[in-house]
PDB file of all heavy atoms in Angstrom:
ATOM      1  N   GLU R 233     -25.115 -38.952 -48.334  1.00 85.00           N
ATOM      2  CA  GLU R 233     -24.497 -37.822 -49.035  1.00 85.00           C
ATOM      3  C   GLU R 233     -25.509 -36.684 -49.233  1.00 85.00           C
ATOM      4  O   GLU R 233     -25.220 -35.517 -48.950  1.00 85.00           O
ATOM      5  CB  GLU R 233     -23.980 -38.335 -50.398  1.00 85.00           C
ATOM      6  CG  GLU R 233     -22.859 -37.527 -50.983  1.00 85.00           C
ATOM      7  CD  GLU R 233     -21.596 -37.572 -50.131  1.00 85.00           C
ATOM      8  OE1 GLU R 233     -21.017 -38.657 -49.916  1.00 85.00           O
ATOM      9  OE2 GLU R 233     -21.195 -36.491 -49.673  1.00 85.00           O
ATOM     10  N   LYS R 239     -28.786 -30.878 -44.922  1.00 88.00           N
ATOM     11  CA  LYS R 239     -28.653 -30.292 -43.588  1.00 88.00           C
ATOM     12  C   LYS R 239     -27.681 -29.116 -43.595  1.00 88.00           C
ATOM     13  O   LYS R 239     -27.892 -28.115 -42.922  1.00 88.00           O
ATOM     14  CB  LYS R 239     -28.177 -31.352 -42.583  1.00 88.00           C
ATOM     15  CG  LYS R 239     -29.279 -32.284 -42.105  1.00 88.00           C
ATOM     16  CD  LYS R 239     -28.680 -33.414 -41.267  1.00 88.00           C
ATOM     17  CE  LYS R 239     -29.749 -34.309 -40.667  1.00 88.00           C
ATOM     18  NZ  LYS R 239     -30.187 -33.854 -39.336  1.00 88.00           N
ATOM     19  N   ARG R 262     -26.634   2.192 -35.393  1.00 92.00           N
ATOM     20  CA  ARG R 262     -25.650   3.209 -35.742  1.00 92.00           C
ATOM     21  C   ARG R 262     -26.285   4.405 -36.428  1.00 92.00           C
ATOM     22  O   ARG R 262     -25.725   5.503 -36.382  1.00 92.00           O
ATOM     23  CB  ARG R 262     -24.573   2.623 -36.689  1.00 92.00           C
ATOM     24  CG  ARG R 262     -23.737   1.516 -36.096  1.00 92.00           C
ATOM     25  CD  ARG R 262     -22.841   1.978 -34.989  1.00 92.00           C
ATOM     26  NE  ARG R 262     -21.766   2.867 -35.421  1.00 92.00           N
ATOM     27  CZ  ARG R 262     -21.112   3.692 -34.605  1.00 92.00           C
ATOM     28  NH1 ARG R 262     -21.431   3.759 -33.337  1.00 92.00           N
ATOM     29  NH2 ARG R 262     -20.144   4.450 -35.052  1.00 92.00           N
ATOM     30  N   ASN R 282     -30.472   1.972 -17.241  1.00 96.00           N
ATOM     31  CA  ASN R 282     -29.404   1.550 -16.327  1.00 96.00           C
ATOM     32  C   ASN R 282     -29.433   2.372 -15.040  1.00 96.00           C
ATOM     33  O   ASN R 282     -29.201   1.847 -13.954  1.00 96.00           O
ATOM     34  CB  ASN R 282     -28.028   1.713 -16.993  1.00 96.00           C
ATOM     35  CG  ASN R 282     -27.785   0.682 -18.081  1.00 96.00           C
ATOM     36  OD1 ASN R 282     -28.474  -0.334 -18.156  1.00 96.00           O
ATOM     37  ND2 ASN R 282     -26.817   0.944 -18.927  1.00 96.00           N
ATOM     38  N   ILE R 289     -29.331   0.738  -5.806  1.00 94.00           N
ATOM     39  CA  ILE R 289     -28.348   0.314  -4.795  1.00 94.00           C
ATOM     40  C   ILE R 289     -27.642   1.512  -4.158  1.00 94.00           C
ATOM     41  O   ILE R 289     -26.796   1.345  -3.283  1.00 94.00           O
ATOM     42  CB  ILE R 289     -27.299  -0.678  -5.363  1.00 94.00           C
ATOM     43  CG1 ILE R 289     -26.537  -0.075  -6.535  1.00 94.00           C
ATOM     44  CG2 ILE R 289     -27.940  -2.001  -5.738  1.00 94.00           C
ATOM     45  CD1 ILE R 289     -25.316  -0.899  -6.946  1.00 94.00           C
ATOM     46  N   LEU R 290     -28.004   2.740  -4.602  1.00 94.00           N
ATOM     47  CA  LEU R 290     -27.425   3.931  -3.962  1.00 94.00           C
ATOM     48  C   LEU R 290     -27.935   4.009  -2.530  1.00 94.00           C
ATOM     49  O   LEU R 290     -29.129   3.903  -2.292  1.00 94.00           O
ATOM     50  CB  LEU R 290     -27.838   5.195  -4.729  1.00 94.00           C
ATOM     51  CG  LEU R 290     -27.384   6.517  -4.094  1.00 94.00           C
ATOM     52  CD1 LEU R 290     -25.899   6.725  -4.316  1.00 94.00           C
ATOM     53  CD2 LEU R 290     -28.179   7.688  -4.637  1.00 94.00           C
ATOM     54  N   SER R 291     -27.015   4.185  -1.589  1.00 93.00           N
ATOM     55  CA  SER R 291     -27.424   4.236  -0.191  1.00 93.00           C
ATOM     56  C   SER R 291     -26.494   5.155   0.576  1.00 93.00           C
ATOM     57  O   SER R 291     -25.297   5.238   0.286  1.00 93.00           O
ATOM     58  CB  SER R 291     -27.386   2.828   0.405  1.00 93.00           C
ATOM     59  OG  SER R 291     -27.351   2.898   1.813  1.00 93.00           O
ATOM     60  N   HIS R 294     -23.609   3.277   1.918  1.00 95.00           N
ATOM     61  CA  HIS R 294     -22.487   2.912   1.047  1.00 95.00           C
ATOM     62  C   HIS R 294     -21.584   4.124   0.879  1.00 95.00           C
ATOM     63  O   HIS R 294     -21.927   5.062   0.180  1.00 95.00           O
ATOM     64  CB  HIS R 294     -22.991   2.454  -0.321  1.00 95.00           C
ATOM     65  CG  HIS R 294     -23.808   1.199  -0.270  1.00 95.00           C
ATOM     66  ND1 HIS R 294     -24.714   0.863  -1.246  1.00 95.00           N
ATOM     67  CD2 HIS R 294     -23.850   0.195   0.643  1.00 95.00           C
ATOM     68  CE1 HIS R 294     -25.282  -0.286  -0.928  1.00 95.00           C
ATOM     69  NE2 HIS R 294     -24.782  -0.715   0.211  1.00 95.00           N
ATOM     70  N   GLU R 360     -12.596   9.873 -17.412  1.00 96.00           N
ATOM     71  CA  GLU R 360     -11.590   9.445 -18.393  1.00 96.00           C
ATOM     72  C   GLU R 360     -10.904   8.146 -17.972  1.00 96.00           C
ATOM     73  O   GLU R 360     -10.339   7.456 -18.821  1.00 96.00           O
ATOM     74  CB  GLU R 360     -10.513  10.521 -18.544  1.00 96.00           C
ATOM     75  CG  GLU R 360     -11.019  11.781 -19.207  1.00 96.00           C
ATOM     76  CD  GLU R 360     -10.000  12.916 -19.177  1.00 96.00           C
ATOM     77  OE1 GLU R 360      -8.947  12.764 -18.523  1.00 96.00           O
ATOM     78  OE2 GLU R 360     -10.251  13.938 -19.790  1.00 96.00           O
ATOM     79  N   TRP R 362      -8.706   7.996 -15.012  1.00 96.00           N
ATOM     80  CA  TRP R 362      -7.701   8.159 -13.958  1.00 96.00           C
ATOM     81  C   TRP R 362      -8.386   8.420 -12.633  1.00 96.00           C
ATOM     82  O   TRP R 362      -9.553   8.811 -12.576  1.00 96.00           O
ATOM     83  CB  TRP R 362      -6.690   9.268 -14.294  1.00 96.00           C
ATOM     84  CG  TRP R 362      -7.281  10.618 -14.608  1.00 96.00           C
ATOM     85  CD1 TRP R 362      -7.640  11.088 -15.834  1.00 96.00           C
ATOM     86  CD2 TRP R 362      -7.588  11.665 -13.673  1.00 96.00           C
ATOM     87  NE1 TRP R 362      -8.150  12.355 -15.727  1.00 96.00           N
ATOM     88  CE2 TRP R 362      -8.126  12.745 -14.414  1.00 96.00           C
ATOM     89  CE3 TRP R 362      -7.457  11.810 -12.286  1.00 96.00           C
ATOM     90  CZ2 TRP R 362      -8.530  13.939 -13.825  1.00 96.00           C
ATOM     91  CZ3 TRP R 362      -7.862  13.008 -11.703  1.00 96.00           C
ATOM     92  CH2 TRP R 362      -8.389  14.049 -12.463  1.00 96.00           C
ATOM     93  N   SER R 363      -7.647   8.174 -11.554  1.00 95.00           N
ATOM     94  CA  SER R 363      -8.179   8.463 -10.228  1.00 95.00           C
ATOM     95  C   SER R 363      -7.029   8.910  -9.347  1.00 95.00           C
ATOM     96  O   SER R 363      -5.870   8.579  -9.619  1.00 95.00           O
ATOM     97  CB  SER R 363      -8.870   7.235  -9.649  1.00 95.00           C
ATOM     98  OG  SER R 363      -7.968   6.157  -9.562  1.00 95.00           O
ATOM     99  N   LYS R 467     -22.273  16.728 -24.782  1.00 89.00           N
ATOM    100  CA  LYS R 467     -21.255  15.767 -25.183  1.00 89.00           C
ATOM    101  C   LYS R 467     -21.739  14.315 -25.207  1.00 89.00           C
ATOM    102  O   LYS R 467     -20.950  13.412 -25.472  1.00 89.00           O
ATOM    103  CB  LYS R 467     -20.035  15.877 -24.245  1.00 89.00           C
ATOM    104  CG  LYS R 467     -19.391  17.265 -24.236  1.00 89.00           C
ATOM    105  CD  LYS R 467     -18.704  17.552 -25.564  1.00 89.00           C
ATOM    106  CE  LYS R 467     -18.149  18.982 -25.565  1.00 89.00           C
ATOM    107  NZ  LYS R 467     -17.557  19.326 -26.875  1.00 89.00           N
ATOM    108  N   GLY R 474     -23.467   7.761 -11.784  1.00 95.00           N
ATOM    109  CA  GLY R 474     -23.300   7.372 -10.385  1.00 95.00           C
ATOM    110  C   GLY R 474     -22.259   6.281 -10.220  1.00 95.00           C
ATOM    111  O   GLY R 474     -22.134   5.398 -11.068  1.00 95.00           O
TER     112      GLY R 474
ATOM    113  N   LYS F  89     -20.038 -42.821 -45.095  1.00 85.00           N
ATOM    114  CA  LYS F  89     -20.090 -41.627 -44.243  1.00 85.00           C
ATOM    115  C   LYS F  89     -21.216 -41.772 -43.234  1.00 85.00           C
ATOM    116  O   LYS F  89     -22.238 -42.386 -43.500  1.00 85.00           O
ATOM    117  CB  LYS F  89     -20.314 -40.385 -45.101  1.00 85.00           C
ATOM    118  CG  LYS F  89     -19.099 -39.989 -45.893  1.00 85.00           C
ATOM    119  CD  LYS F  89     -19.341 -38.703 -46.647  1.00 85.00           C
ATOM    120  CE  LYS F  89     -18.102 -38.294 -47.410  1.00 85.00           C
ATOM    121  NZ  LYS F  89     -18.347 -37.088 -48.213  1.00 85.00           N
ATOM    122  N   ASN F 124      -7.707   7.398 -21.219  1.00 94.00           N
ATOM    123  CA  ASN F 124      -6.651   7.376 -20.196  1.00 94.00           C
ATOM    124  C   ASN F 124      -5.806   6.126 -20.433  1.00 94.00           C
ATOM    125  O   ASN F 124      -5.842   5.177 -19.669  1.00 94.00           O
ATOM    126  CB  ASN F 124      -7.270   7.371 -18.789  1.00 94.00           C
ATOM    127  CG  ASN F 124      -6.233   7.481 -17.698  1.00 94.00           C
ATOM    128  OD1 ASN F 124      -5.361   8.343 -17.746  1.00 94.00           O
ATOM    129  ND2 ASN F 124      -6.313   6.602 -16.704  1.00 94.00           N
ATOM    130  N   ARG F 153     -13.838   9.436 -28.526  1.00 93.00           N
ATOM    131  CA  ARG F 153     -15.169   8.819 -28.611  1.00 93.00           C
ATOM    132  C   ARG F 153     -15.558   8.177 -27.287  1.00 93.00           C
ATOM    133  O   ARG F 153     -16.246   7.162 -27.258  1.00 93.00           O
ATOM    134  CB  ARG F 153     -15.181   7.781 -29.745  1.00 93.00           C
ATOM    135  CG  ARG F 153     -15.013   8.422 -31.127  1.00 93.00           C
ATOM    136  CD  ARG F 153     -14.794   7.383 -32.210  1.00 93.00           C
ATOM    137  NE  ARG F 153     -16.032   6.685 -32.537  1.00 93.00           N
ATOM    138  CZ  ARG F 153     -16.114   5.755 -33.498  1.00 93.00           C
ATOM    139  NH1 ARG F 153     -15.050   5.425 -34.197  1.00 93.00           N
ATOM    140  NH2 ARG F 153     -17.256   5.151 -33.740  1.00 93.00           N
ATOM    141  N   SER F 155     -17.665   9.110 -24.802  1.00 93.00           N
ATOM    142  CA  SER F 155     -19.092   9.032 -24.442  1.00 93.00           C
ATOM    143  C   SER F 155     -19.795   7.967 -25.287  1.00 93.00           C
ATOM    144  O   SER F 155     -20.643   7.218 -24.793  1.00 93.00           O
ATOM    145  CB  SER F 155     -19.773  10.388 -24.623  1.00 93.00           C
ATOM    146  OG  SER F 155     -19.803  10.764 -25.979  1.00 93.00           O
ATOM    147  N   GLU F 156     -19.424   7.887 -26.550  1.00 93.00           N
ATOM    148  CA  GLU F 156     -19.989   6.875 -27.442  1.00 93.00           C
ATOM    149  C   GLU F 156     -19.618   5.476 -26.943  1.00 93.00           C
ATOM    150  O   GLU F 156     -20.467   4.578 -26.864  1.00 93.00           O
ATOM    151  CB  GLU F 156     -19.439   7.113 -28.844  1.00 93.00           C
ATOM    152  CG  GLU F 156     -20.095   6.296 -29.932  1.00 93.00           C
ATOM    153  CD  GLU F 156     -19.391   6.476 -31.274  1.00 93.00           C
ATOM    154  OE1 GLU F 156     -18.416   7.272 -31.346  1.00 93.00           O
ATOM    155  OE2 GLU F 156     -19.810   5.819 -32.243  1.00 93.00           O
ATOM    156  N   TYR F 160     -22.311   2.466 -25.729  1.00 96.00           N
ATOM    157  CA  TYR F 160     -22.383   1.121 -26.326  1.00 96.00           C
ATOM    158  C   TYR F 160     -22.002   0.041 -25.317  1.00 96.00           C
ATOM    159  O   TYR F 160     -22.610  -1.025 -25.271  1.00 96.00           O
ATOM    160  CB  TYR F 160     -21.481   1.026 -27.562  1.00 96.00           C
ATOM    161  CG  TYR F 160     -22.123   1.606 -28.793  1.00 96.00           C
ATOM    162  CD1 TYR F 160     -21.901   2.918 -29.167  1.00 96.00           C
ATOM    163  CD2 TYR F 160     -23.006   0.841 -29.563  1.00 96.00           C
ATOM    164  CE1 TYR F 160     -22.522   3.473 -30.290  1.00 96.00           C
ATOM    165  CE2 TYR F 160     -23.631   1.373 -30.676  1.00 96.00           C
ATOM    166  CZ  TYR F 160     -23.379   2.688 -31.037  1.00 96.00           C
ATOM    167  OH  TYR F 160     -24.002   3.216 -32.134  1.00 96.00           O
ATOM    168  N   PHE F 162     -22.389   0.015 -22.151  1.00 97.00           N
ATOM    169  CA  PHE F 162     -23.416  -0.189 -21.123  1.00 97.00           C
ATOM    170  C   PHE F 162     -24.741  -0.660 -21.711  1.00 97.00           C
ATOM    171  O   PHE F 162     -25.689  -0.915 -20.981  1.00 97.00           O
ATOM    172  CB  PHE F 162     -23.596   1.085 -20.285  1.00 97.00           C
ATOM    173  CG  PHE F 162     -22.327   1.504 -19.591  1.00 97.00           C
ATOM    174  CD1 PHE F 162     -22.056   2.842 -19.328  1.00 97.00           C
ATOM    175  CD2 PHE F 162     -21.374   0.565 -19.220  1.00 97.00           C
ATOM    176  CE1 PHE F 162     -20.878   3.226 -18.703  1.00 97.00           C
ATOM    177  CE2 PHE F 162     -20.193   0.934 -18.602  1.00 97.00           C
ATOM    178  CZ  PHE F 162     -19.945   2.272 -18.334  1.00 97.00           C
ATOM    179  N   TRP F 166     -25.313  -5.912 -21.217  1.00 97.00           N
ATOM    180  CA  TRP F 166     -26.495  -6.728 -20.876  1.00 97.00           C
ATOM    181  C   TRP F 166     -26.558  -7.973 -21.743  1.00 97.00           C
ATOM    182  O   TRP F 166     -26.867  -9.059 -21.262  1.00 97.00           O
ATOM    183  CB  TRP F 166     -27.771  -5.903 -21.032  1.00 97.00           C
ATOM    184  CG  TRP F 166     -27.893  -4.839 -20.004  1.00 97.00           C
ATOM    185  CD1 TRP F 166     -27.818  -3.487 -20.208  1.00 97.00           C
ATOM    186  CD2 TRP F 166     -28.082  -5.011 -18.586  1.00 97.00           C
ATOM    187  NE1 TRP F 166     -27.953  -2.815 -19.014  1.00 97.00           N
ATOM    188  CE2 TRP F 166     -28.121  -3.724 -18.004  1.00 97.00           C
ATOM    189  CE3 TRP F 166     -28.222  -6.131 -17.757  1.00 97.00           C
ATOM    190  CZ2 TRP F 166     -28.284  -3.524 -16.638  1.00 97.00           C
ATOM    191  CZ3 TRP F 166     -28.385  -5.938 -16.395  1.00 97.00           C
ATOM    192  CH2 TRP F 166     -28.420  -4.642 -15.849  1.00 97.00           C
ATOM    193  N   LYS F 245     -19.503   0.597 -10.470  1.00 96.00           N
ATOM    194  CA  LYS F 245     -20.087   1.119  -9.226  1.00 96.00           C
ATOM    195  C   LYS F 245     -19.110   0.935  -8.066  1.00 96.00           C
ATOM    196  O   LYS F 245     -19.382   0.195  -7.113  1.00 96.00           O
ATOM    197  CB  LYS F 245     -21.423   0.402  -8.921  1.00 96.00           C
ATOM    198  CG  LYS F 245     -22.468   0.550 -10.018  1.00 96.00           C
ATOM    199  CD  LYS F 245     -22.975   1.974 -10.167  1.00 96.00           C
ATOM    200  CE  LYS F 245     -23.650   2.167 -11.519  1.00 96.00           C
ATOM    201  NZ  LYS F 245     -23.911   3.588 -11.836  1.00 96.00           N
ATOM    202  N   GLN F 248     -20.822   2.053  -4.511  1.00 96.00           N
ATOM    203  CA  GLN F 248     -21.943   1.223  -4.038  1.00 96.00           C
ATOM    204  C   GLN F 248     -21.501  -0.230  -3.862  1.00 96.00           C
ATOM    205  O   GLN F 248     -22.023  -0.936  -3.006  1.00 96.00           O
ATOM    206  CB  GLN F 248     -23.121   1.282  -5.012  1.00 96.00           C
ATOM    207  CG  GLN F 248     -23.607   2.702  -5.308  1.00 96.00           C
ATOM    208  CD  GLN F 248     -23.836   3.522  -4.062  1.00 96.00           C
ATOM    209  OE1 GLN F 248     -24.361   3.028  -3.070  1.00 96.00           O
ATOM    210  NE2 GLN F 248     -23.421   4.790  -4.095  1.00 96.00           N
ATOM    211  N   LYS F 260      -8.091   0.798  -8.981  1.00 94.00           N
ATOM    212  CA  LYS F 260      -7.084   0.757 -10.058  1.00 94.00           C
ATOM    213  C   LYS F 260      -6.778  -0.681 -10.469  1.00 94.00           C
ATOM    214  O   LYS F 260      -6.608  -0.975 -11.647  1.00 94.00           O
ATOM    215  CB  LYS F 260      -5.802   1.461  -9.612  1.00 94.00           C
ATOM    216  CG  LYS F 260      -5.947   2.968  -9.629  1.00 94.00           C
ATOM    217  CD  LYS F 260      -4.644   3.688  -9.362  1.00 94.00           C
ATOM    218  CE  LYS F 260      -4.865   5.189  -9.465  1.00 94.00           C
ATOM    219  NZ  LYS F 260      -3.691   5.969  -9.112  1.00 94.00           N
ATOM    220  N   PHE F 299     -23.700 -31.061 -36.676  1.00 91.00           N
ATOM    221  CA  PHE F 299     -23.234 -32.441 -36.882  1.00 91.00           C
ATOM    222  C   PHE F 299     -21.858 -32.491 -37.530  1.00 91.00           C
ATOM    223  O   PHE F 299     -21.399 -31.532 -38.151  1.00 91.00           O
ATOM    224  CB  PHE F 299     -24.227 -33.232 -37.730  1.00 91.00           C
ATOM    225  CG  PHE F 299     -24.302 -32.779 -39.169  1.00 91.00           C
ATOM    226  CD1 PHE F 299     -23.357 -33.192 -40.110  1.00 91.00           C
ATOM    227  CD2 PHE F 299     -25.325 -31.938 -39.598  1.00 91.00           C
ATOM    228  CE1 PHE F 299     -23.429 -32.782 -41.427  1.00 91.00           C
ATOM    229  CE2 PHE F 299     -25.406 -31.521 -40.913  1.00 91.00           C
ATOM    230  CZ  PHE F 299     -24.457 -31.936 -41.835  1.00 91.00           C
TER     231      PHE F 299
END
Side-chain angles (χ1 to χ4, degrees):
Chain R
E233 204 64 61
K239 281 172 175 270
R262 297 293 292 160
N282 288 343
I289 58 169
L290 175 75
S291 161
H294 296 157
E360 291 172 353
W362 55 269
S363 59
K467 301 291 176 184
Chain F
K89 287 184 178 177
N124 185 49
R153 294 170 75 177
S155 66
E156 190 186 358
Y160 279 94
F162 301 149
W166 291 112
K245 301 293 162 192
Q248 305 311 319
K260 284 187 177 175
F299 69 81

